[in-house]
Amino acid sequence: GAVVSQHPSRVICKSGTSVKIECRSLDFQATTMFWYRQFPKQSLMLMATSNEGSKATYEQGVEKDKFLINHASLTLSTLTVTSAHPEDSSFYICSARGARGQGNQPQHFGDGTRLSIL
Amino acid sequence: AQTVTQSQPEMSVQEAETVTLSCTYDTSESDYYLFWYKQPPSRQMILVIRQEAYKQQNATENRFSVNFQKAAKSFSLKISDSQLGDAAMYFCATITDNYGQNFVFGPGTRLSVLP
């Protein structure tokens, strides 16, 4: 089945560092990818929708200058947490949806990235 | 806008017994899909079962089945013959048929399986 690869799985870094997380669709073209954030014991919250070749659409309350999203190809989206601070520590999950017309196909999730800012 | 509600933050079941997790949703869309995802401690999101809203027949996947009540906007998950490996967070989710739309997740139900 379709696979989404997300890297890295774990990041620990100092405050002020910028961190890039990659989300790749391995065997299908993902024109749309989604970035979610999950706090402990809570549900997934959509941060932004990443569209190949165009600007990402951010959810209300998500700082686009803090969370930079790039979707330069049909198989890769990146999320960069710029100048990360301890409050940015969280679990970030990407997902990808396949081609148009596959509305009943579920989104395929990456395994997530646990980000810890010291 | 779509919303998903899971009224049971935590549930527990004895091994080999049956448990039902509740989910209600609200949507103005006519074409949509419903899903149950399992998130074990590894935090991977694992698809358990899905249901197309236009189908009246309840979806079934081995020990997992749903009770889909479209008029009531209810989508409960039944787990039969519960196993220790079923212990996880379970999220109910909905998505429209509009391409580019994201999942809307419920708050989750933490299921414990007692030996």
Side-chain angles (χ1 to χ4, degrees):
Chain A
V3 177
V4 172
S5 174
Q6 184 174 343
H7 289 283
S9 58
R10 184 83 164 94
V11 179
I12 303 172
C13 58
K14 293 182 179 179
S15 184
T17 306
S18 291
V19 178
K20 180 185 283 189
I21 303 170
E22 292 188 347
C23 182
R24 294 180 184 272
S25 57
L26 297 184
D27 56 358
F28 67 102
Q29 292 183 333
T31 52
T32 300
M33 292 185 175
F34 303 91
W35 288 96
Y36 295 87
R37 183 173 181 175
Q38 186 180 30
F39 291 104
K41 298 185 179 180
Q42 293 189 23
S43 188
L44 280 70
M45 287 181 7
L46 180 70
M47 297 176 64
T49 301
S50 171
N51 300 299
E52 186 267 335
S54 64
K55 290 183 179 180
T57 304
Y58 290 82
E59 295 300 298
Q60 192 173 10
V62 177
E63 301 175 58
K64 58 182 69 176
D65 294 332
K66 159 68 79 174
F67 300 100
L68 299 179
I69 290 172
N70 183 275
H71 194 154
S73 77
L74 287 171
T75 59
L76 174 64
S77 175
T78 60
L79 168 67
T80 301
V81 184
T82 61
S83 187
H85 289 95
E87 59 267 27
D88 299 323
S89 299
S90 191
F91 191 70
Y92 295 87
I93 308 177
C94 72
S95 69
R97 195 170 183 181
R100 192 177 297 272
Q102 296 180 343
N104 62 340
Q105 298 303 312
Q107 291 182 8
H108 306 284
F109 289 90
D111 286 343
T113 298
R114 189 183 304 275
L115 176 62
S116 300
I117 307 299
L118 306 177
Chain B
Q2 299 167 287
T3 59
V4 178
T5 302
Q6 293 175 251
S7 59
Q8 307 151 315
E10 294 184 357
M11 291 281 285
S12 62
V13 62
Q14 208 73 34
E15 196 176 3
E17 296 295 310
T18 296
V19 64
T20 298
L21 308 184
S22 301
C23 172
T24 57
Y25 62 94
D26 192 18
T27 181
S28 58
E29 300 288 336
S30 56
D31 295 324
Y32 57 93
Y33 305 87
L34 296 160
F35 303 84
W36 278 98
Y37 275 88
K38 169 184 177 182
Q39 189 180 42
S42 67
R43 303 190 85 167
Q44 281 181 301
M45 293 294 286
I46 301 168
L47 177 64
V48 175
I49 198 165
R50 68 174 177 230
Q51 172 86 39
E52 291 87 346
Y54 62 85
K55 289 187 177 178
Q56 293 185 340
Q57 186 173 7
N58 289 325
T60 300
E61 285 287 344
N62 300 314
R63 297 183 296 106
F64 299 90
S65 61
V66 298
N67 183 2
F68 175 44
Q69 302 290 326
K70 190 172 184 178
K73 294 184 177 175
S74 170
F75 183 62
S76 60
L77 174 69
K78 185 170 83 171
I79 305 174
S80 304
D81 185 25
S82 297
Q83 301 175 0
L84 295 177
D86 295 333
M89 280 290 287
Y90 285 82
F91 293 103
C92 179
T94 184
I95 195 167
T96 72
D97 195 24
N98 294 323
Y99 181 81
Q101 291 300 305
N102 58 284
F103 274 131
V104 174
F105 289 93
T109 296
R110 181 172 300 280
L111 178 66
S112 301
V113 180
L114 308 174

PDB file of all heavy atoms in Angstrom, chain B residues 15-44:
ATOM      1  N   GLU B  15     -10.041  -8.407  28.304  1.00  0.00           N
ATOM      2  CA  GLU B  15      -9.568  -9.191  27.158  1.00  0.00           C
ATOM      3  C   GLU B  15     -10.632 -10.210  26.751  1.00  0.00           C
ATOM      4  O   GLU B  15     -11.267 -10.829  27.615  1.00  0.00           O
ATOM      5  CB  GLU B  15      -8.269  -9.905  27.546  1.00  0.00           C
ATOM      6  CG  GLU B  15      -7.459 -10.433  26.380  1.00  0.00           C
ATOM      7  CD  GLU B  15      -6.135 -11.037  26.825  1.00  0.00           C
ATOM      8  OE1 GLU B  15      -5.885 -11.099  28.056  1.00  0.00           O
ATOM      9  OE2 GLU B  15      -5.349 -11.437  25.965  1.00  0.00           O
ATOM     10  N   ALA B  16     -10.828 -10.331  25.428  1.00  0.00           N
ATOM     11  CA  ALA B  16     -11.795 -11.256  24.814  1.00  0.00           C
ATOM     12  C   ALA B  16     -13.233 -10.740  24.838  1.00  0.00           C
ATOM     13  O   ALA B  16     -14.119 -11.356  24.222  1.00  0.00           O
ATOM     14  CB  ALA B  16     -11.753 -12.648  25.428  1.00  0.00           C
ATOM     15  N   GLU B  17     -13.468  -9.638  25.528  1.00  0.00           N
ATOM     16  CA  GLU B  17     -14.814  -9.073  25.559  1.00  0.00           C
ATOM     17  C   GLU B  17     -15.004  -8.086  24.402  1.00  0.00           C
ATOM     18  O   GLU B  17     -14.078  -7.826  23.622  1.00  0.00           O
ATOM     19  CB  GLU B  17     -15.066  -8.382  26.902  1.00  0.00           C
ATOM     20  CG  GLU B  17     -15.038  -9.324  28.102  1.00  0.00           C
ATOM     21  CD  GLU B  17     -16.174 -10.329  28.051  1.00  0.00           C
ATOM     22  OE1 GLU B  17     -17.333  -9.926  27.847  1.00  0.00           O
ATOM     23  OE2 GLU B  17     -15.887 -11.543  28.215  1.00  0.00           O
ATOM     24  N   THR B  18     -16.201  -7.532  24.338  1.00  0.00           N
ATOM     25  CA  THR B  18     -16.564  -6.586  23.278  1.00  0.00           C
ATOM     26  C   THR B  18     -16.722  -5.192  23.855  1.00  0.00           C
ATOM     27  O   THR B  18     -17.228  -5.028  24.972  1.00  0.00           O
ATOM     28  CB  THR B  18     -17.873  -7.020  22.593  1.00  0.00           C
ATOM     29  OG1 THR B  18     -17.650  -8.287  21.948  1.00  0.00           O
ATOM     30  CG2 THR B  18     -18.315  -6.005  21.552  1.00  0.00           C
ATOM     31  N   VAL B  19     -16.286  -4.200  23.101  1.00  0.00           N
ATOM     32  CA  VAL B  19     -16.408  -2.813  23.538  1.00  0.00           C
ATOM     33  C   VAL B  19     -16.861  -1.958  22.359  1.00  0.00           C
ATOM     34  O   VAL B  19     -16.540  -2.255  21.208  1.00  0.00           O
ATOM     35  CB  VAL B  19     -15.059  -2.291  24.090  1.00  0.00           C
ATOM     36  CG1 VAL B  19     -13.983  -2.244  23.011  1.00  0.00           C
ATOM     37  CG2 VAL B  19     -15.211  -0.929  24.755  1.00  0.00           C
ATOM     38  N   THR B  20     -17.631  -0.928  22.675  1.00  0.00           N
ATOM     39  CA  THR B  20     -18.114  -0.015  21.639  1.00  0.00           C
ATOM     40  C   THR B  20     -17.668   1.405  21.973  1.00  0.00           C
ATOM     41  O   THR B  20     -17.915   1.898  23.080  1.00  0.00           O
ATOM     42  CB  THR B  20     -19.643  -0.068  21.531  1.00  0.00           C
ATOM     43  OG1 THR B  20     -20.037  -1.403  21.150  1.00  0.00           O
ATOM     44  CG2 THR B  20     -20.138   0.909  20.473  1.00  0.00           C
ATOM     45  N   LEU B  21     -17.029   2.029  20.998  1.00  0.00           N
ATOM     46  CA  LEU B  21     -16.585   3.412  21.141  1.00  0.00           C
ATOM     47  C   LEU B  21     -17.536   4.310  20.357  1.00  0.00           C
ATOM     48  O   LEU B  21     -17.855   4.031  19.207  1.00  0.00           O
ATOM     49  CB  LEU B  21     -15.157   3.580  20.611  1.00  0.00           C
ATOM     50  CG  LEU B  21     -14.107   2.613  21.158  1.00  0.00           C
ATOM     51  CD1 LEU B  21     -12.725   2.964  20.612  1.00  0.00           C
ATOM     52  CD2 LEU B  21     -14.100   2.575  22.660  1.00  0.00           C
ATOM     53  N   SER B  22     -17.945   5.395  20.984  1.00  0.00           N
ATOM     54  CA  SER B  22     -18.943   6.271  20.374  1.00  0.00           C
ATOM     55  C   SER B  22     -18.317   7.415  19.597  1.00  0.00           C
ATOM     56  O   SER B  22     -17.227   7.895  19.934  1.00  0.00           O
ATOM     57  CB  SER B  22     -19.850   6.860  21.464  1.00  0.00           C
ATOM     58  OG  SER B  22     -20.491   5.838  22.177  1.00  0.00           O
ATOM     59  N   CYS B  23     -19.034   7.834  18.577  1.00  0.00           N
ATOM     60  CA  CYS B  23     -18.604   8.984  17.778  1.00  0.00           C
ATOM     61  C   CYS B  23     -19.840   9.620  17.157  1.00  0.00           C
ATOM     62  O   CYS B  23     -20.682   8.920  16.590  1.00  0.00           O
ATOM     63  CB  CYS B  23     -17.636   8.548  16.687  1.00  0.00           C
ATOM     64  SG  CYS B  23     -17.213   9.852  15.491  1.00  0.00           S
ATOM     65  N   THR B  24     -19.950  10.913  17.280  1.00  0.00           N
ATOM     66  CA  THR B  24     -20.969  11.650  16.545  1.00  0.00           C
ATOM     67  C   THR B  24     -20.280  12.753  15.766  1.00  0.00           C
ATOM     68  O   THR B  24     -19.193  13.216  16.130  1.00  0.00           O
ATOM     69  CB  THR B  24     -22.036  12.254  17.474  1.00  0.00           C
ATOM     70  OG1 THR B  24     -21.398  13.106  18.432  1.00  0.00           O
ATOM     71  CG2 THR B  24     -22.808  11.167  18.196  1.00  0.00           C
ATOM     72  N   TYR B  25     -20.918  13.167  14.707  1.00  0.00           N
ATOM     73  CA  TYR B  25     -20.287  14.160  13.854  1.00  0.00           C
ATOM     74  C   TYR B  25     -21.339  15.109  13.320  1.00  0.00           C
ATOM     75  O   TYR B  25     -22.550  14.841  13.403  1.00  0.00           O
ATOM     76  CB  TYR B  25     -19.538  13.479  12.703  1.00  0.00           C
ATOM     77  CG  TYR B  25     -20.446  12.684  11.802  1.00  0.00           C
ATOM     78  CD1 TYR B  25     -20.984  13.238  10.641  1.00  0.00           C
ATOM     79  CD2 TYR B  25     -20.802  11.370  12.115  1.00  0.00           C
ATOM     80  CE1 TYR B  25     -21.839  12.518   9.832  1.00  0.00           C
ATOM     81  CE2 TYR B  25     -21.653  10.642  11.310  1.00  0.00           C
ATOM     82  CZ  TYR B  25     -22.166  11.218  10.174  1.00  0.00           C
ATOM     83  OH  TYR B  25     -23.025  10.504   9.380  1.00  0.00           O
ATOM     84  N   ASP B  26     -20.871  16.185  12.794  1.00  0.00           N
ATOM     85  CA  ASP B  26     -21.780  17.136  12.178  1.00  0.00           C
ATOM     86  C   ASP B  26     -21.162  17.613  10.875  1.00  0.00           C
ATOM     87  O   ASP B  26     -19.980  17.982  10.843  1.00  0.00           O
ATOM     88  CB  ASP B  26     -22.041  18.332  13.096  1.00  0.00           C
ATOM     89  CG  ASP B  26     -23.202  19.188  12.610  1.00  0.00           C
ATOM     90  OD1 ASP B  26     -23.997  18.694  11.793  1.00  0.00           O
ATOM     91  OD2 ASP B  26     -23.303  20.354  13.039  1.00  0.00           O
ATOM     92  N   THR B  27     -21.916  17.586   9.831  1.00  0.00           N
ATOM     93  CA  THR B  27     -21.429  18.045   8.543  1.00  0.00           C
ATOM     94  C   THR B  27     -22.596  18.502   7.693  1.00  0.00           C
ATOM     95  O   THR B  27     -23.709  17.980   7.822  1.00  0.00           O
ATOM     96  CB  THR B  27     -20.658  16.932   7.807  1.00  0.00           C
ATOM     97  OG1 THR B  27     -20.183  17.433   6.558  1.00  0.00           O
ATOM     98  CG2 THR B  27     -21.528  15.721   7.550  1.00  0.00           C
ATOM     99  N   SER B  28     -22.330  19.458   6.835  1.00  0.00           N
ATOM    100  CA  SER B  28     -23.351  19.916   5.903  1.00  0.00           C
ATOM    101  C   SER B  28     -23.138  19.298   4.526  1.00  0.00           C
ATOM    102  O   SER B  28     -23.921  19.536   3.605  1.00  0.00           O
ATOM    103  CB  SER B  28     -23.309  21.438   5.803  1.00  0.00           C
ATOM    104  OG  SER B  28     -22.020  21.869   5.393  1.00  0.00           O
ATOM    105  N   GLU B  29     -22.092  18.495   4.406  1.00  0.00           N
ATOM    106  CA  GLU B  29     -21.780  17.875   3.132  1.00  0.00           C
ATOM    107  C   GLU B  29     -22.689  16.680   2.881  1.00  0.00           C
ATOM    108  O   GLU B  29     -23.155  16.025   3.826  1.00  0.00           O
ATOM    109  CB  GLU B  29     -20.313  17.406   3.119  1.00  0.00           C
ATOM    110  CG  GLU B  29     -19.303  18.511   3.331  1.00  0.00           C
ATOM    111  CD  GLU B  29     -19.178  19.434   2.145  1.00  0.00           C
ATOM    112  OE1 GLU B  29     -19.506  18.990   1.016  1.00  0.00           O
ATOM    113  OE2 GLU B  29     -18.745  20.583   2.329  1.00  0.00           O
ATOM    114  N   SER B  30     -22.917  16.403   1.631  1.00  0.00           N
ATOM    115  CA  SER B  30     -23.721  15.231   1.280  1.00  0.00           C
ATOM    116  C   SER B  30     -22.837  14.026   1.000  1.00  0.00           C
ATOM    117  O   SER B  30     -23.237  12.882   1.228  1.00  0.00           O
ATOM    118  CB  SER B  30     -24.598  15.529   0.060  1.00  0.00           C
ATOM    119  OG  SER B  30     -23.776  15.961  -1.019  1.00  0.00           O
ATOM    120  N   ASP B  31     -21.642  14.290   0.530  1.00  0.00           N
ATOM    121  CA  ASP B  31     -20.696  13.206   0.247  1.00  0.00           C
ATOM    122  C   ASP B  31     -19.517  13.317   1.198  1.00  0.00           C
ATOM    123  O   ASP B  31     -18.794  14.310   1.168  1.00  0.00           O
ATOM    124  CB  ASP B  31     -20.201  13.277  -1.205  1.00  0.00           C
ATOM    125  CG  ASP B  31     -21.320  13.035  -2.196  1.00  0.00           C
ATOM    126  OD1 ASP B  31     -22.197  12.209  -1.903  1.00  0.00           O
ATOM    127  OD2 ASP B  31     -21.328  13.698  -3.246  1.00  0.00           O
ATOM    128  N   TYR B  32     -19.371  12.324   2.020  1.00  0.00           N
ATOM    129  CA  TYR B  32     -18.266  12.343   2.973  1.00  0.00           C
ATOM    130  C   TYR B  32     -17.940  10.916   3.367  1.00  0.00           C
ATOM    131  O   TYR B  32     -18.651   9.965   3.015  1.00  0.00           O
ATOM    132  CB  TYR B  32     -18.609  13.196   4.202  1.00  0.00           C
ATOM    133  CG  TYR B  32     -19.861  12.781   4.935  1.00  0.00           C
ATOM    134  CD1 TYR B  32     -19.798  11.895   6.011  1.00  0.00           C
ATOM    135  CD2 TYR B  32     -21.106  13.275   4.569  1.00  0.00           C
ATOM    136  CE1 TYR B  32     -20.939  11.510   6.681  1.00  0.00           C
ATOM    137  CE2 TYR B  32     -22.259  12.893   5.235  1.00  0.00           C
ATOM    138  CZ  TYR B  32     -22.171  12.017   6.289  1.00  0.00           C
ATOM    139  OH  TYR B  32     -23.314  11.625   6.957  1.00  0.00           O
ATOM    140  N   TYR B  33     -16.859  10.795   4.085  1.00  0.00           N
ATOM    141  CA  TYR B  33     -16.372   9.493   4.518  1.00  0.00           C
ATOM    142  C   TYR B  33     -16.063   9.564   6.004  1.00  0.00           C
ATOM    143  O   TYR B  33     -15.705  10.621   6.535  1.00  0.00           O
ATOM    144  CB  TYR B  33     -15.120   9.102   3.721  1.00  0.00           C
ATOM    145  CG  TYR B  33     -15.363   9.140   2.229  1.00  0.00           C
ATOM    146  CD1 TYR B  33     -15.205  10.316   1.514  1.00  0.00           C
ATOM    147  CD2 TYR B  33     -15.790   8.003   1.555  1.00  0.00           C
ATOM    148  CE1 TYR B  33     -15.464  10.358   0.152  1.00  0.00           C
ATOM    149  CE2 TYR B  33     -16.044   8.048   0.198  1.00  0.00           C
ATOM    150  CZ  TYR B  33     -15.879   9.229  -0.500  1.00  0.00           C
ATOM    151  OH  TYR B  33     -16.146   9.270  -1.840  1.00  0.00           O
ATOM    152  N   LEU B  34     -16.187   8.442   6.636  1.00  0.00           N
ATOM    153  CA  LEU B  34     -15.923   8.347   8.066  1.00  0.00           C
ATOM    154  C   LEU B  34     -14.874   7.287   8.319  1.00  0.00           C
ATOM    155  O   LEU B  34     -14.843   6.259   7.637  1.00  0.00           O
ATOM    156  CB  LEU B  34     -17.216   8.000   8.813  1.00  0.00           C
ATOM    157  CG  LEU B  34     -18.305   9.073   8.731  1.00  0.00           C
ATOM    158  CD1 LEU B  34     -19.657   8.476   9.046  1.00  0.00           C
ATOM    159  CD2 LEU B  34     -17.995  10.228   9.678  1.00  0.00           C
ATOM    160  N   PHE B  35     -14.048   7.548   9.300  1.00  0.00           N
ATOM    161  CA  PHE B  35     -12.929   6.651   9.575  1.00  0.00           C
ATOM    162  C   PHE B  35     -12.743   6.476  11.081  1.00  0.00           C
ATOM    163  O   PHE B  35     -13.078   7.355  11.865  1.00  0.00           O
ATOM    164  CB  PHE B  35     -11.617   7.223   9.025  1.00  0.00           C
ATOM    165  CG  PHE B  35     -11.632   7.514   7.545  1.00  0.00           C
ATOM    166  CD1 PHE B  35     -12.134   8.714   7.068  1.00  0.00           C
ATOM    167  CD2 PHE B  35     -11.138   6.592   6.636  1.00  0.00           C
ATOM    168  CE1 PHE B  35     -12.146   8.994   5.714  1.00  0.00           C
ATOM    169  CE2 PHE B  35     -11.142   6.869   5.281  1.00  0.00           C
ATOM    170  CZ  PHE B  35     -11.649   8.069   4.822  1.00  0.00           C
ATOM    171  N   TRP B  36     -12.193   5.359  11.428  1.00  0.00           N
ATOM    172  CA  TRP B  36     -11.620   5.161  12.750  1.00  0.00           C
ATOM    173  C   TRP B  36     -10.143   4.883  12.584  1.00  0.00           C
ATOM    174  O   TRP B  36      -9.750   4.001  11.815  1.00  0.00           O
ATOM    175  CB  TRP B  36     -12.291   3.994  13.473  1.00  0.00           C
ATOM    176  CG  TRP B  36     -13.591   4.357  14.122  1.00  0.00           C
ATOM    177  CD1 TRP B  36     -14.844   4.161  13.629  1.00  0.00           C
ATOM    178  CD2 TRP B  36     -13.765   4.961  15.397  1.00  0.00           C
ATOM    179  NE1 TRP B  36     -15.779   4.618  14.505  1.00  0.00           N
ATOM    180  CE2 TRP B  36     -15.149   5.117  15.608  1.00  0.00           C
ATOM    181  CE3 TRP B  36     -12.889   5.391  16.404  1.00  0.00           C
ATOM    182  CZ2 TRP B  36     -15.685   5.677  16.769  1.00  0.00           C
ATOM    183  CZ3 TRP B  36     -13.404   5.949  17.560  1.00  0.00           C
ATOM    184  CH2 TRP B  36     -14.788   6.083  17.730  1.00  0.00           C
ATOM    185  N   TYR B  37      -9.348   5.673  13.311  1.00  0.00           N
ATOM    186  CA  TYR B  37      -7.908   5.477  13.326  1.00  0.00           C
ATOM    187  C   TYR B  37      -7.489   5.061  14.730  1.00  0.00           C
ATOM    188  O   TYR B  37      -8.033   5.515  15.729  1.00  0.00           O
ATOM    189  CB  TYR B  37      -7.158   6.755  12.942  1.00  0.00           C
ATOM    190  CG  TYR B  37      -7.007   6.944  11.451  1.00  0.00           C
ATOM    191  CD1 TYR B  37      -7.985   7.595  10.712  1.00  0.00           C
ATOM    192  CD2 TYR B  37      -5.878   6.469  10.787  1.00  0.00           C
ATOM    193  CE1 TYR B  37      -7.846   7.775   9.341  1.00  0.00           C
ATOM    194  CE2 TYR B  37      -5.731   6.643   9.415  1.00  0.00           C
ATOM    195  CZ  TYR B  37      -6.717   7.292   8.701  1.00  0.00           C
ATOM    196  OH  TYR B  37      -6.573   7.459   7.358  1.00  0.00           O
ATOM    197  N   LYS B  38      -6.479   4.225  14.768  1.00  0.00           N
ATOM    198  CA  LYS B  38      -5.891   3.771  16.025  1.00  0.00           C
ATOM    199  C   LYS B  38      -4.498   4.381  16.143  1.00  0.00           C
ATOM    200  O   LYS B  38      -3.743   4.398  15.168  1.00  0.00           O
ATOM    201  CB  LYS B  38      -5.801   2.243  15.997  1.00  0.00           C
ATOM    202  CG  LYS B  38      -4.988   1.598  17.089  1.00  0.00           C
ATOM    203  CD  LYS B  38      -4.914   0.087  16.851  1.00  0.00           C
ATOM    204  CE  LYS B  38      -4.039  -0.588  17.882  1.00  0.00           C
ATOM    205  NZ  LYS B  38      -3.927  -2.048  17.629  1.00  0.00           N
ATOM    206  N   GLN B  39      -4.188   4.903  17.328  1.00  0.00           N
ATOM    207  CA  GLN B  39      -2.846   5.436  17.559  1.00  0.00           C
ATOM    208  C   GLN B  39      -2.257   4.768  18.800  1.00  0.00           C
ATOM    209  O   GLN B  39      -2.585   5.133  19.919  1.00  0.00           O
ATOM    210  CB  GLN B  39      -2.865   6.963  17.731  1.00  0.00           C
ATOM    211  CG  GLN B  39      -1.467   7.569  17.750  1.00  0.00           C
ATOM    212  CD  GLN B  39      -1.469   9.079  17.927  1.00  0.00           C
ATOM    213  OE1 GLN B  39      -2.225   9.626  18.728  1.00  0.00           O
ATOM    214  NE2 GLN B  39      -0.621   9.767  17.173  1.00  0.00           N
ATOM    215  N   PRO B  40      -1.427   3.760  18.605  1.00  0.00           N
ATOM    216  CA  PRO B  40      -0.776   3.092  19.750  1.00  0.00           C
ATOM    217  C   PRO B  40       0.294   3.984  20.356  1.00  0.00           C
ATOM    218  O   PRO B  40       0.527   5.084  19.845  1.00  0.00           O
ATOM    219  CB  PRO B  40      -0.179   1.835  19.097  1.00  0.00           C
ATOM    220  CG  PRO B  40       0.031   2.211  17.670  1.00  0.00           C
ATOM    221  CD  PRO B  40      -1.059   3.193  17.330  1.00  0.00           C
ATOM    222  N   PRO B  41       0.953   3.541  21.405  1.00  0.00           N
ATOM    223  CA  PRO B  41       2.007   4.366  22.023  1.00  0.00           C
ATOM    224  C   PRO B  41       3.105   4.807  21.064  1.00  0.00           C
ATOM    225  O   PRO B  41       3.735   5.834  21.273  1.00  0.00           O
ATOM    226  CB  PRO B  41       2.554   3.441  23.116  1.00  0.00           C
ATOM    227  CG  PRO B  41       1.385   2.602  23.498  1.00  0.00           C
ATOM    228  CD  PRO B  41       0.643   2.361  22.216  1.00  0.00           C
ATOM    229  N   SER B  42       3.325   4.047  20.001  1.00  0.00           N
ATOM    230  CA  SER B  42       4.309   4.458  18.999  1.00  0.00           C
ATOM    231  C   SER B  42       3.885   5.717  18.257  1.00  0.00           C
ATOM    232  O   SER B  42       4.694   6.344  17.575  1.00  0.00           O
ATOM    233  CB  SER B  42       4.524   3.324  17.987  1.00  0.00           C
ATOM    234  OG  SER B  42       3.343   3.137  17.220  1.00  0.00           O
ATOM    235  N   ARG B  43       2.611   6.073  18.385  1.00  0.00           N
ATOM    236  CA  ARG B  43       2.006   7.278  17.796  1.00  0.00           C
ATOM    237  C   ARG B  43       1.810   7.189  16.283  1.00  0.00           C
ATOM    238  O   ARG B  43       1.483   8.186  15.648  1.00  0.00           O
ATOM    239  CB  ARG B  43       2.787   8.533  18.197  1.00  0.00           C
ATOM    240  CG  ARG B  43       2.877   8.689  19.706  1.00  0.00           C
ATOM    241  CD  ARG B  43       3.418  10.009  20.134  1.00  0.00           C
ATOM    242  NE  ARG B  43       2.361  11.016  20.186  1.00  0.00           N
ATOM    243  CZ  ARG B  43       2.494  12.200  20.763  1.00  0.00           C
ATOM    244  NH1 ARG B  43       3.624  12.515  21.343  1.00  0.00           N
ATOM    245  NH2 ARG B  43       1.517  13.083  20.760  1.00  0.00           N
ATOM    246  N   GLN B  44       2.001   6.002  15.735  1.00  0.00           N
ATOM    247  CA  GLN B  44       1.631   5.827  14.333  1.00  0.00           C
ATOM    248  C   GLN B  44       0.126   5.920  14.199  1.00  0.00           C
ATOM    249  O   GLN B  44      -0.617   5.487  15.076  1.00  0.00           O
ATOM    250  CB  GLN B  44       2.056   4.433  13.849  1.00  0.00           C
ATOM    251  CG  GLN B  44       3.510   4.287  13.520  1.00  0.00           C
ATOM    252  CD  GLN B  44       3.796   2.885  13.025  1.00  0.00           C
ATOM    253  OE1 GLN B  44       3.553   1.909  13.735  1.00  0.00           O
ATOM    254  NE2 GLN B  44       4.296   2.781  11.819  1.00  0.00           N
TER     255      GLN B  44
END
